[in-house]
Amino acid sequence: MFLKVLNTSLAAAALAITTIACSGGAPAPAATTPPPNAKRVDETTAGSVTGKVTFEGTPPASAPIKLDSDPACAQQHPGGLPPDSFVVSSGGLENVFVYVKDGLGDYYFETPTTAVTLDQKGCHYTPHVFGVRAGQPLEIVNSDPTLHNVNAMAKVNQSFNLGQAIQGMKNQKVFKTPEVMVHIKCDVHNWMNAYAGVLNHPYFAVTANGGSFELKGLPPGTYTIEAWHEKLGTQTQSVTLAAKESKPITFAFKAS
Amino acid sequence: MLWLHRYVKLVVACTVLLIAAGGMVTSTGSGLAVPDWPNTYGQFMFSFPLEKMVGGIFYEHGHRMIASTVGFLTIILALWTWKVDPRRWVRWLGVSALGAVILQGLLGGLTVLFLLPAPVSIGHAGLAQLFFCITVGLALFTSPGWMRTQSAADDATLRRLAFITTALIYCQILIGATMRHIGAGLAIPDFPFAYGQLVPPFWNAGIAVHYAHRIGATIVTLAILATAGHVWYHHRSRPELVRPATLLVVFVLTQVTLGAFVVWSGLQPLINTAHVVNGALVLSTSLVLTLRSHRRLFATAPARTVVRGGTASSGSGMLGRPGGERTQHI
């Protein structure tokens, strides 16, 4: 009885504290009203930046991650989980976040209302690296028959740490401010990491097969393009794009 | 009183286990594996299923369970001390142990709810050591040995040396806690040098705190050697001083060795935790030596005179004098 009373009191105190601490973390409506004289991209003159992120050298040894600390994870990957920090295919580096860092000026972009999904499946985040628009809903799903916590360690946005104890649980969160990158991790399974690039424009991509990427629909102008990798850091390039031009660029990361 | 003493020793042992469990939480990066508090994933803490204690939950929830156990043991400790110990200051020390453990629980909860802010986490680590010191102090004050040695000779130099050493150790522990909770454990990745030099060639906050911990270790080791040397030279006939002094040297040498292995192993969790626990043992041993060196001052401190039924109220009757005389417990 005493334990229950104690627990109830502590829960009430925790609720009050959490309410104060976490106010502002709830999903906000994504749709915003554009200003009357909003400057929009002219689709008829838009071009693109395409390219590849290459990797030179030998990637670090990547033994499969042992999942013994949770039988539910180990059952899904009896041979261990391949690490996803260095994924190299055809000389290209995958999971690199490429985006327009600077040069867009004061263009207005509608904020999407459809959610980006971050799934926890096989005790692994899918996708491992992704982009999301500031104000766009992020739906976090637990597809695993085990518990996960989702610890978003934002530095600019509101950090959060939520628990998803039941398979099929979903939560929506919103990052309101641009931030590259927000590190998301599971403290239950310390190998689980994801990275979200939060931007207020749609010009971003994550390298996939062969390290390729494409930034479509860019208006003419001069831009700073940045490539971010979780272990190798960032590289930037300046690109000047004429109307309807498609310009190829290459980022070359080297083994450190 | 003897049974109270034995019980306090049990609380001390459980507190060592609790510090180890807390050390594993930080060392394995599991501090946020249970996002809610005081519940665990929405469930009443004590009904959370064992089979769900996987990964980081094992460390964080395990730490909470051990902490709750120590909390309940401390409630009993405070009540028991209040009931049987005739010394007012010891009774209040028991109450302060209860206050410390409650505050410690709240700090633990706050650090989870606010996503491990460094000042709160460092406060949690620092208060853990203070609580441990209180329980060690209570174990000493209720021990038969403490009662017996009240007439021991005083040594002002030893008192000062031991006190300064204990204070230095506690400061060093706080620096270590700061280093852990700002993630600066490998800010200097080599040992015994710092980036191949005696002094780091460049600085930031992490390197400064890490280097301060290494300088602190040198100062603390020298202070302990000075204190132990003083005891060995001037008090070799007093085992109640020689034993903790010798143990202190053993612990501090172990601590320096563990500190080196923490760096060389790249913050291996078990080695890291052993360093934390051994640090607590260094502090508590130095505290025992300090308190024993102050024994005569306790004897001259105002004490409560107790007369109960013509015999001493102490369960052990160690200081009791027959015939219903007044008995002082100090």
Side-chain angles (χ1 to χ4, degrees):
Chain A
M1 184 63 190
F2 172 74
L3 291 178
K4 283 192 174 179
V5 171
L6 178 69
N7 196 52
T8 307
S9 310
L10 290 174
L15 181 65
I17 291 165
T18 310
T19 305
I20 296 164
C22 299
S23 57
T32 52
T33 309
N37 54 349
K39 183 180 172 187
R40 293 174 187 274
V41 174
D42 179 2
E43 300 288 340
T44 60
T45 61
S48 65
V49 173
T50 59
K52 179 172 179 171
V53 178
T54 62
F55 183 78
E56 296 170 17
T58 308
S62 53
I65 300 162
K66 291 181 180 176
L67 313 177
D68 302 347
S69 63
D70 188 343
C73 300
Q75 280 172 9
Q76 297 182 72
H77 302 280
L81 189 67
D84 41 17
S85 292
F86 284 95
V87 182
V88 179
S89 61
S90 306
L93 186 60
E94 299 182 18
N95 286 331
V96 177
F97 187 70
V98 183
Y99 70 104
V100 174
K101 185 177 185 180
D102 197 19
L104 277 168
D106 53 355
Y107 281 104
Y108 175 81
F109 303 98
E110 300 282 355
T111 304
T113 53
T114 49
V116 171
T117 300
L118 176 63
D119 196 3
Q120 298 152 102
K121 194 171 186 179
C123 299
H124 175 261
Y125 282 116
T126 306
H128 176 60
V129 178
F130 62 97
V132 62
R133 298 280 295 282
Q136 182 179 15
L138 171 65
E139 184 166 81
I140 303 162
V141 183
N142 181 9
S143 298
D144 281 328
T146 188
L147 307 91
H148 289 294
N149 78 301
V150 185
N151 179 10
M153 298 181 289
K155 292 184 170 64
V156 178
N157 286 279
Q158 175 79 53
S159 298
F160 62 82
N161 182 28
L162 56 92
Q164 293 191 322
I166 301 165
Q167 189 170 23
M169 265 182 92
K170 294 178 181 177
N171 291 86
Q172 277 205 358
K173 289 285 180 182
V174 172
F175 296 116
K176 295 178 178 174
T177 311
E179 181 175 355
V180 178
M181 306 287 286
V182 176
H183 182 190
I184 299 169
K185 64 179 284 201
C186 175
D187 301 282
V188 180
H189 311 102
N190 59 10
W191 60 85
M192 287 178 65
N193 293 283
Y195 299 89
V198 186
L199 294 170
N200 56 5
H201 62 73
Y203 305 113
F204 56 83
V206 177
T207 57
N209 295 337
S212 60
F213 67 88
E214 183 175 15
L215 306 175
K216 290 189 288 190
L218 269 168
T222 298
Y223 302 105
T224 302
I225 313 288
E226 183 167 273
W228 173 97
H229 184 264
E230 63 186 274
K231 299 290 183 191
L232 300 172
T234 59
Q235 290 186 12
T236 56
Q237 287 191 33
S238 182
V239 175
T240 300
L241 206 60
K244 294 186 177 180
E245 187 182 13
S246 178
K247 187 161 270 184
I249 59 171
T250 300
F251 290 97
F253 281 95
K254 293 179 182 175
S256 53
Chain B
M1 188 76 91
L2 189 59
W3 278 104
L4 173 62
H5 172 63
R6 287 170 178 163
Y7 179 78
V8 180
K9 285 203 289 190
L10 171 71
V11 177
V12 168
C14 290
T15 306
V16 172
L17 184 64
L18 178 58
I19 290 172
M24 282 304 287
V25 169
T26 305
S27 301
T28 58
S30 306
L32 293 175
V34 180
D36 48 348
W37 180 89
N39 284 339
T40 299
Y41 283 89
Q43 289 192 44
F44 179 53
M45 186 199 298
F46 297 101
S47 62
F48 187 74
L50 281 177
E51 66 271 16
K52 289 189 176 179
M53 285 180 65
V54 294
I57 298 172
F58 174 79
Y59 298 109
E60 172 61 16
H61 185 67
H63 179 52
R64 294 185 190 188
M65 297 296 284
I66 297 169
S68 302
T69 305
V70 170
F72 285 116
L73 290 176
T74 309
I75 292 172
I76 296 168
L77 167 69
L79 291 173
W80 194 347
T81 309
W82 192 267
K83 188 168 173 57
V84 305
D85 200 301
R87 296 163 295 182
R88 180 177 296 155
W89 59 274
V90 173
R91 296 204 306 270
W92 280 107
L93 195 59
V95 173
S96 72
L98 180 58
V101 84
I102 291 171
L103 184 60
Q104 180 70 347
L106 288 172
L107 279 180
L110 286 176
T111 202
V112 167
L113 295 178
F114 288 97
L115 310 180
L116 307 184
V120 181
S121 297
I122 295 163
H124 187 63
L127 185 57
Q129 300 290 337
L130 287 182
F131 172 74
F132 182 52
C133 284
I134 293 172
T135 60
V136 168
L138 279 168
L140 180 67
F141 300 140
T142 55
S143 66
W146 180 263
M147 310 288 189
R148 271 198 304 270
T149 56
Q150 61 173 304
S151 58
D154 188 32
D155 179 345
T157 306
L158 176 60
R159 274 196 278 117
R160 276 193 291 272
L161 267 175
F163 178 81
I164 290 168
T165 300
T166 304
L168 285 173
I169 294 167
Y170 186 68
C171 291
Q172 169 70 348
I173 284 175
L174 287 183
I175 296 170
T178 305
M179 186 178 72
R180 272 164 72 77
H181 290 287
I182 65 170
L186 286 178
I188 300 175
D190 51 342
F191 184 89
F193 294 107
Y195 293 94
Q197 301 180 21
L198 279 177
V199 177
F202 40 84
W203 294 88
N204 59 32
I207 292 172
V209 173
H210 188 117
Y211 196 66
H213 192 58
R214 292 190 183 189
I215 297 295
T218 308
I219 294 170
V220 161
T221 304
L222 291 175
I224 286 174
L225 289 175
T227 307
H230 184 90
V231 169
W232 290 331
Y233 191 77
H234 294 284
H235 301 283
R236 69 187 68 168
S237 63
R238 292 179 63 187
E240 81 277 11
L241 298 181
V242 171
R243 272 197 306 263
T246 307
L247 203 55
L248 194 51
V249 172
V250 171
F251 280 147
V252 81
L253 294 180
T254 306
Q255 185 70 348
V256 171
T257 308
L258 283 170
F261 276 100
V262 166
V263 175
W264 291 335
S265 70
L267 305 182
Q268 205 280 335
L270 282 175
I271 297 174
N272 220 344
T273 302
H275 188 63
V276 171
V277 172
N278 194 68
L281 297 180
V282 173
L283 177 65
S284 58
T285 308
S286 184
L287 178 72
V288 167
L289 182 58
T290 304
L291 291 172
R292 284 184 176 164
S293 69
H294 285 72
R295 182 64 185 94
R296 272 186 72 88
L297 298 187
F298 283 91
T300 55
R304 179 187 177 210
T305 303
V306 178
V307 177
R308 285 184 191 163
T311 57
S313 62
S314 162
S316 65
M318 284 171 294
L319 294 180
R321 282 174 279 177
E325 291 179 12
R326 285 168 176 253
T327 302
Q328 280 196 326
H329 295 263
I330 43 185

